[in-house]
């Protein structure tokens, strides 16, 4: 099964520079529908930058992003949303003065999706029913993360990028959200997860890509990755390798 | 009944009826006219500031452009006044289009750039070299169209349309999306909202509102100088009235104009010597204790304010 035929996202030789700093330095990978791919790596390795480029927040300085057979690099975010890409943010960014319900309504009205889940379903499934008519500013950070996720899901993405969704959740919430993410993937949604919690990554991903300095240094399962000297080196420093 | 119908029936309709009937029972028609003009301008500020987050310190630029658009049509082309008012609105939209690059700025930078832009328009219009077109600094005296009664009712119509537009914003996904852009532009784009398009539409709508108001103002007064119709007081008053009542609501700017412009005239009639003292204290009190406007007295208690 060649990735070119079935993948929904193909990233090749992606470059993103900030001044002289190469945040992404020739990154290539692909994702297929229904797959949960983990992006791991130390701080500054380019994980969030990759998500920002794929979701249209940054235009790439080189390389290509192909989503569903068409070029997606440098395309405006709202157009990518309409084509089926969405994301959450490391620090959730809800519309603070709008109610939870209104937050989701905006995405339902402007997401351009047919057959999107209803507000009632989203509120119920992501435990926001009780706070539905409160301003988003009143929510705690875990609830704001869920609201951020429902905002993304309301546009019915086929590729969902989750940027540290699990950080700050308690163990019970982690298990629960892991179940939700797997259920989404089971519907055929491709999901890219950026996360520091390795246990969580192991629980949900099919495959991980380890990044260092904007490049891929490993691709495979997390269980294999942790035995890889190069991976151990970038995470723990040179003296622990070998 | 839908919320929008309720808002039209219980807010817009009474306002229009009251201002349509008041000239029959109250003799100071100029004062009534000024109330209507400020109701329009405060709602125009509400559209661009309340829903979109851009504070238009140079809002009067559109008002003045509308007044001169009207004057030029009447002076040079002898068009009927209502048509000239529409042209005034069109001129304001053109000015708005010219100024769309300002929307790249935010916060105080936008406010200052907008103020500078309005001064630039004033000095352009008042330039003696343009005397043949705008009468330059010597002012405009329009003959043949003077009809305060018609101008007053035209103002009431524009006020009704403006409040109607705000009712729409308050009750539509479009208005919700504008507020989303104001709250967080990046998240709004990830909700599928074309943020540039939304901002430009709100900006041009508020420009149109001020341009129509300016055209009607020119119709009403007939004689004016550039300094009159580009006076910064229009911007400041409209902003203060809208903020005093509370923006991003339908009622806030209306309440703000009725109370604050009411007090303004009351002090002006009774104790003009204390005018600036009382008015200044009032505005300081507002900023310190009610930064979200009078309506926040109700919203803090969990009441829904339309």
């Amino acid at each position: 099964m060649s990735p070119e035929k079935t993948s929904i996202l193909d990233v090749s030789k992606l470059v993103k520079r900030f001044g002289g700093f190469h945040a992404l330095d020739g990154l290539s990978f692909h994702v297929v529908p229904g797959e949960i791919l983990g992006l791991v790596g130390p701080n500054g390795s380019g994980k969030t930058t990759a998500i920002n480029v794929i979701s249209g927040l940054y235009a790439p300085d080189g390389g290509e992003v192909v989503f569903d057979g068409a070029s997606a690099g440098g395309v405006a975010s709202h157009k990518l949303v309409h084509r089926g890409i969405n994301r959450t943010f490391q620090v959730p960014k809800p519309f603070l003065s709008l109610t939870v319900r209104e937050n989701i309504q905006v995405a339902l009205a402007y997401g351009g999706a047919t057959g999107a889940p209803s507000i009632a379903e989203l509120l119920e499934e992501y435990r926001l029913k009780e706070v539905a008519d409160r301003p988003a500013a009143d929510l705690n950070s875990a609830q704001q993360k869920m609201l951020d996720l429902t905002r993304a899901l309301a546009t019915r993405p086929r590729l969902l990028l989750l940027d540290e969704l699990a950080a700050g959740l308690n163990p019970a919430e982690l298990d629960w959200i892991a179940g939700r993410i797997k259920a989404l993937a089971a519907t055929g949604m491709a999901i890219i997860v950026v996360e520091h919690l390795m246990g969580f990554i192991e629980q949900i991903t099919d495959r991980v890509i380890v990044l260092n300095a904007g490049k891929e240094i490993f691709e495979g399962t997390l269980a294999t990755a942790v035995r890889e000297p190069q991976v151990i080196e970038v995470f723990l420093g040179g003296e622990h390798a070998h | 009944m839908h919320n929008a119908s309720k808002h039209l029936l219980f807010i817009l309709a009474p306002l229009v009826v009251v201002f349509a009937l008041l000239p029959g029972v109250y003799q100071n028609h100029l004062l009534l006219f000024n109330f209507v003009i400020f109701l329009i301008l405060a709602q125009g500020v509400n559209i661009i500031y309340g829903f979109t987050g851009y504070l238009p310190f140079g809002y009067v630029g559109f008002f003045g452009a509308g007044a001169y658009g009207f004057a030029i049509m009447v002076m040079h082309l002898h068009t009927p006044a209502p048509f000239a008012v529409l042209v005034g609105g069109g001129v304001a939209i053109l000015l708005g289009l010219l100024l769309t690059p300002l929307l790249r700025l935010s916060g105080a930078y936008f406010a200052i750039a907008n103020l500078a832009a309005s001064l630039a328009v004033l000095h352009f219009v008042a330039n003696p070299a343009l005397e043949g077109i705008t009468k330059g600094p010597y002012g405009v005296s329009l003959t043949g169209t003077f009809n305060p009664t018609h101008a007053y009712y035209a103002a009431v119509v524009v006020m009704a349309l403006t409040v109607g537009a705000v009712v729409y914003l308050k009750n539509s996904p479009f208005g919700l999306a504008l507020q989303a852009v104001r709250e967080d532009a990046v998240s709004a784009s990830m909700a599928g909202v074309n943020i540039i398009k939304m901002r430009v539409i709100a900006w041009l709508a508020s420009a149109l509102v001020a341009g129509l108001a300016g055209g009607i103002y020119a119709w009403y007064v007939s004689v004016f100088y550039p300094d009159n119709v580009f006076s910064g007081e229009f911007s400041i008053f409209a902003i203060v009235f809208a903020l005093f009542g509370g923006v991003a609501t339908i009622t806030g700017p209306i309440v703000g104009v009725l109370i604050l412009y009411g007090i303004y005239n009351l002090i002006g009639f009774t104790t003009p010597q204390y005018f600036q003292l009382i008015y200044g204290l009032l505005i300081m009190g507002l900023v310190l204790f009610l930064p979200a406007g009078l309506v926040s007295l109700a919203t803090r208690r969990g009441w829904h304010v339309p």
Side-chain angles (χ1 to χ4, degrees), chain A residues 104-121:
Chain A
I104 302 172
Q105 272 173 347
V106 175
L108 280 173
Y110 283 82
T114 50
S118 71
I119 291 189
E121 281 168 348

Side-chain angles (χ1 to χ4, degrees), chain A residues 20-77:
Chain A
F21 175 65
H22 285 62
L24 294 178
D25 196 7
L27 178 66
S28 303
F29 68 90
H30 73 276
V31 198
V32 298
E35 184 186 27
I36 304 178
L37 172 73
L39 280 189
V40 296
N43 287 326
S45 59
K47 306 181 299 287
T48 296
T49 304
I51 285 194
N52 285 343
V53 171
I54 297 166
S55 61
L57 258 54
Y58 301 151
D61 294 316
E64 250 193 306
V65 180
V66 175
F67 175 72
D68 202 15
S71 175
V75 175
S77 290

Side-chain angles (χ1 to χ4, degrees), chain B:
Chain B
M1 196 192 297
H2 277 296
N3 273 337
S5 319
K6 277 189 213 160
H7 295 159
L8 291 175
L9 192 64
F10 297 116
I11 302 170
L12 176 61
L15 193 68
V16 171
V17 169
V18 165
F19 276 96
L21 296 179
L22 268 176
V25 292
Y26 183 71
Q27 292 313 309
N28 191 341
H29 290 181
L30 175 62
L31 181 62
L32 292 178
F33 177 76
N34 284 338
F35 261 103
V36 177
I37 288 294
F38 278 118
L39 282 168
I40 298 169
L41 293 179
Q43 291 292 15
V45 166
N46 192 20
I47 293 171
I48 187 64
Y49 179 65
F51 286 88
T52 322
Y54 288 101
L55 190 57
F57 255 47
Y59 195 48
V60 72
F62 297 128
F63 184 82
Y68 270 90
F70 177 91
I72 287 167
M73 291 306 283
V74 168
M75 283 187 299
H76 300 299
L77 301 169
H78 310 288
T79 61
F83 179 75
V85 168
L86 294 179
V87 171
V91 170
I93 286 185
L94 287 179
L95 178 61
L97 279 172
L98 195 67
L99 297 181
T100 44
L102 295 189
L103 297 175
R104 291 178 194 191
L105 305 171
S106 62
Y109 299 100
F110 173 82
I112 292 165
N114 183 212
L115 178 62
S118 74
L119 292 173
V121 179
L122 160 63
H123 290 292
F124 177 78
V125 168
N127 191 329
L130 289 178
E131 193 191 342
I133 302 166
T134 65
K135 305 275 180 204
Y138 315 110
V140 166
S141 175
L142 304 171
T143 48
T145 54
F146 181 68
N147 190 332
T149 310
H150 287 178
Y152 177 82
Y153 285 105
V156 172
V157 169
V158 171
M159 175 188 76
L161 293 175
T162 308
V163 175
V166 176
V167 169
Y168 169 73
L169 290 183
K170 196 65 193 166
N171 292 290
S172 63
F174 182 83
L176 215 48
L178 276 182
Q179 294 181 73
V181 174
R182 178 196 68 201
E183 295 288 298
D184 193 308
V186 171
S187 280
S189 67
M190 292 314 300
V193 177
N194 183 343
I195 54 177
I196 295 172
K197 186 172 137 194
M198 298 299 279
R199 283 172 169 162
V200 169
I201 292 175
W203 175 237
L204 296 184
S206 79
L208 170 67
V209 160
L212 293 173
I216 293 171
Y217 186 85
W219 186 6
Y220 191 97
V221 298
S222 274
V223 176
F224 58 88
Y225 295 91
D227 285 341
N228 300 138
V229 292
F230 284 99
S231 160
E233 274 195 4
F234 283 107
S235 307
I236 302 299
F237 276 25
I239 289 169
V240 169
F241 295 160
L243 287 177
F244 183 83
V247 290
T249 64
I250 307 163
T251 48
I254 299 173
V255 170
V257 170
L258 295 183
I259 294 181
L260 221 47
Y261 196 53
I263 294 174
Y264 176 89
N265 286 289
L266 209 62
I267 308 170
F269 291 144
T270 54
T271 50
Q273 66 274 35
Y274 299 126
F275 176 77
Q276 271 149 349
L277 176 70
I278 299 174
Y279 218 60
L281 285 175
L282 210 62
I283 289 168
M284 275 173 57
L286 167 78
V287 173
L288 285 174
F289 301 112
L290 283 176
L294 273 184
V295 295
S296 64
L297 284 175
T299 48
R300 275 182 203 171
R301 286 171 177 73
W303 299 344
H304 179 72
V305 180

Side-chain angles (χ1 to χ4, degrees), chain A residues 39 47-52 86-92 145 148 160-167 192-196:
Chain A
L39 280 189
K47 306 181 299 287
T48 296
T49 304
I51 285 194
N52 285 343
N86 217 316
R87 66 171 293 172
T88 65
F89 293 92
Q90 201 172 345
V91 177
K145 287 198 159 187
D148 206 24
L160 179 64
L161 316 166
L162 303 175
D163 195 357
E164 298 201 25
L165 185 70
I192 296 177
V193 183
V194 166
E195 203 63 67
H196 283 292

